[in-house]
Amino acid sequence: MSGGHEIFLGLEGLRGAAALLIVLRHASDFTGLPLPSSHLAVDLFFVLSGFVLAHAYDARFARGLSAAAFMRLRLIRLYPLYLLSIVAAAAGVVIWRVVAGPGDWSALHLTQAFALNVLYLPAPSLYGEAYPLNLPAWSLFLEICACAAFAMTWRRLTDAVLLAWICLSGLLLIGLAVHYQTLSLGWDWTTFAAGFVRVSFSFPLGVLLYRKLRYMPALGIGAWVPLALAVALLCLDAGRWQVAYEIVCAIVLLPLLVVVAARTTPRLAAARLFAFLGVTSYAVYVLHVPALTICQQALAEIGVRPAEAGPAFAAAFVVVLVGGCWLADRVYDVPVRGWLRRRWAGGAARGAAPASGDRSADLAPSPRLPPEIARPGVE
C-alpha cells in the first residue's frame, strides 16, 4: 500500500514484458524469430487497461468525476509520447527522402498521413496500414475509444451488463478469429473494424476482473511465475492449432494470468525491475517502430541487410531503446504531463488515484512505490 492505494507491481512486469515482445516481433528481420503468438500482447494490454482503470477511477466516478474530465486525464497521459513518436517518424521519412530520394513516400502521402495520425486518426497508406507513420498506434486509438465508452457508460456498467457484453463480444471474437484464421486484427484497413471487437472483449473483461479481484485468493506464488507463463504463451507457435490456441489465450489464459499477477508481490530487486518495466513500457511500445524504422533506413544506406546485422543488433537496439525510453519518460513525458495536468486538468487531476500499470497500451498518474523498494530515477 502507498498513500492508501494498492500497487500492482506484478501487472507492471506483465506490461513491460509484453511491450518488449512486441518490439522483438517487429524486429524479426534481425532476430529471425517470428514470434507468431506475440500479437496477443495487445489483447493482454487491453485487459490490463480495463483492470487498472477500474482500480484508478471507479471510486472517482462514484464521487462525480465527469467523462470529459476523465478523457482529459487519459489524453494527457497518452498524447505527449505519441506526439513524439509521430514527429520522429515523419522526420525520419523527410530525412530519408533527402538522403535516398522519394521512395514510396510522396509529399502528399506524408502530409496526409501526418495530419491524420497526429490527431490519432487512421490514414490511407500504400500498404494498407491504418497508421502508416507508427503502426502500433491503431491499438492506442482503440484504447481511447474504450476509455470514452467506459467513462460515458460507467453508471450503467453493472456486473450483469459487463458479463453480457463480454459474452457477446467473445462470441464475435471467436467468429472473427475463425474467419481470418488469426487474431492479429485491427492494424490494417482490411481488419480495422475487427480491432473494435478485440478491445470490446478484453477491456470490459479487465474491468470485471478487477471488481471481482477481492473474491479471488492469493496463490502464494512468486511474481516471476505469471510473468514467465505470459512470455511463454506469447512466444509459442501452436502450429496447426494456432487459431484455437490464440482464442484460448485471448479469452481465458492471458486474463487469468492478469488476476494471478495482481495477487503477487515481487520483492526488493524484483520489485525494482518490475517497476522499471512498467515505467518504460508505454514509451517502448509507442516509440519502438519509428526508432526501428530509422535504424533500418540507416543500415540500408550503408548497404547492411537486417539478416547481416543479426540478433546482436536487435539486442543492442532493445538495450538502447529501453534506456532511451527511460530518459524520454524522465526528461520529456513526466514534465510535459505535469504541465498539462496543471494547465488543463484542473480539479480532475487533484486527488487522482495512482494506479499500477496505468501506462498503455496507456495511461494515468504513475504510482509511487513503498519506501522499502523506492529507487532513484524511477517513480
Side-chain angles (χ1 to χ4, degrees):
M1 304 296 288
S2 178
H5 300 296
E6 190 171 3
I7 303 299
F8 296 111
L9 283 178
L11 302 187
E12 299 273 66
L14 279 186
R15 185 189 299 280
L20 290 174
L21 284 177
I22 291 291
V23 175
L24 294 177
R25 175 183 179 84
H26 292 148
S28 61
D29 288 345
F30 297 94
T31 65
L33 301 173
L35 300 177
S37 300
S38 56
H39 58 272
L40 296 174
V42 174
D43 302 276
L44 177 60
F45 289 148
F46 290 150
V47 176
L48 286 167
S49 295
F51 188 100
V52 299
L53 289 178
H55 169 59
Y57 290 100
D58 266 358
R60 298 188 64 204
F61 281 127
R63 294 195 300 267
L65 178 70
S66 69
F70 170 78
M71 289 306 297
R72 284 199 299 273
L73 292 172
R74 308 314 309 128
L75 290 172
I76 287 171
R77 176 63 186 97
L78 284 169
Y79 193 71
L81 280 172
Y82 174 76
L83 176 63
L84 179 62
S85 75
I86 296 299
V87 170
V93 172
V94 171
I95 293 171
W96 186 247
R97 281 173 55 87
V98 171
V99 172
D104 295 333
W105 285 90
S106 68
L108 177 60
H109 180 206
L110 175 60
T111 302
Q112 184 182 52
F114 181 82
L116 290 171
N117 284 177
V118 81
L119 296 175
Y120 267 126
L121 298 175
S125 65
L126 294 176
Y127 301 106
E129 310 99 325
Y131 287 80
L133 285 174
N134 190 0
L135 181 63
W138 68 271
S139 63
L140 302 181
F141 173 77
L142 295 181
E143 173 93 23
I144 292 172
C145 293
C147 287
F150 175 62
M152 291 187 292
T153 63
W154 181 85
R155 296 193 180 279
R156 298 180 179 86
L157 290 181
T158 64
D159 293 348
V161 169
L162 281 170
L163 184 59
W165 184 263
I166 290 165
C167 290
L168 175 60
S169 55
L171 290 174
L172 291 174
L173 190 67
I174 293 171
L176 287 169
V178 172
H179 175 74
Y180 287 104
Q181 288 295 290
T182 182
L183 272 177
S184 180
L185 307 171
W187 59 273
D188 63 349
W189 281 108
T190 302
T191 65
F192 189 69
F196 287 92
V197 178
R198 291 178 75 179
V199 74
S200 68
F201 170 79
S202 297
F203 189 98
L205 179 58
V207 173
L208 185 61
L209 289 177
Y210 170 74
R211 293 181 180 178
K212 299 303 178 185
L213 183 66
R214 63 183 181 273
Y215 301 114
M216 301 175 187
L219 299 179
I221 62 176
W224 289 105
V225 174
L227 178 64
L229 288 174
V231 170
L233 290 175
L234 295 173
C235 289
L236 182 65
D237 182 353
R240 59 180 292 195
W241 301 103
Q242 183 66 27
V243 176
Y245 173 75
E246 291 181 14
I247 291 171
V248 173
C249 279
I251 292 179
V252 180
L253 298 181
L254 291 174
L256 181 61
L257 286 179
V258 169
V259 175
V260 174
R263 284 301 199 185
T264 64
T265 305
R267 302 293 183 183
L268 300 176
R272 295 185 177 95
L273 175 60
F274 278 47
F276 179 80
L277 288 172
V279 165
T280 56
S281 60
Y282 177 51
V284 166
Y285 185 72
V286 78
L287 293 175
H288 78 274
V289 165
L292 185 61
T293 301
I294 291 171
C295 287
Q296 289 173 322
Q297 291 172 341
L299 289 175
E301 183 62 20
I302 61 176
V304 177
R305 293 177 298 176
E308 294 172 335
F313 173 84
F317 173 80
V318 170
V319 171
V320 174
L321 174 71
V322 172
C325 287
W326 177 83
L327 187 63
D329 179 78
R330 296 290 86 194
V331 304
Y332 167 72
D333 191 38
V334 170
V336 170
R337 284 192 287 118
W339 181 85
L340 289 172
R341 286 168 65 85
R342 290 189 299 271
R343 179 68 176 83
W344 298 110
R350 291 191 288 272
S356 171
D358 193 12
R359 303 181 186 278
S360 131
D362 159 352
L363 296 175
S366 301
R368 295 198 175 278
L369 297 179
E372 63 270 21
I373 58 171
R375 65 279 184 229
V378 181
E379 291 176 314

